[in-house]
Amino acid sequence: MDLMPALDREKCNGCGLCVRVCHCNAFVMIGNLVAVVETDFCGWCTHCEAICPMGAISCPFEIVIEER
Ligand code: SF4
Ligand code: SF4
C-alpha cells in the first residue's frame, strides 16, 4: 500500500507506543526497534504519528472532508 506512515528508524527509541496505539497492527517490534509492516489495513488515523515521542513517524496523507 502506498499511503503508509513513514518511519525514521534512526530516531526510534523502541518505546513501543506506536505498536500499542495502532488498531491495524501496522507496526511490529523487531528487537529494540519498530518496523512498519506492509498492510492494506491502515486506517489513516494518524495516531501513530501523534503518539511517537521521538518524531520518528510521519503520515504522508491528510484527511480532507468535502462538503456536498
Ligand atoms: S512510538 Fe516512535 S519511538 Fe516509540 S517505538 Fe514507535 S516509532 Fe519508535
Ligand atoms: S495511521 Fe493509524 S492505522 Fe495507520 S499505521 Fe498509524 S496508527 Fe495505524
Side-chain angles (χ1 to χ4, degrees), residues 3-59:
L3 293 178
M4 289 296 293
L7 174 66
D8 183 346
R9 296 187 84 193
E10 298 281 318
K11 295 180 179 176
C12 176
N13 68 4
C15 70
L17 289 174
C18 56
V19 178
R20 277 187 264 165
V21 79
C22 179
H23 59 285
C24 298
N25 299 319
F27 299 94
V28 293
M29 296 301 296
I30 298 178
N32 293 329
L33 294 177
V34 76
V36 179
V37 179
E38 287 291 325
T39 174
D40 287 335
F41 301 111
C42 175
W44 305 338
C45 65
T46 72
H47 290 166
C48 54
E49 181 183 53
I51 205 169
C52 179
M54 304 303 291
I57 300 173
S58 54
C59 292

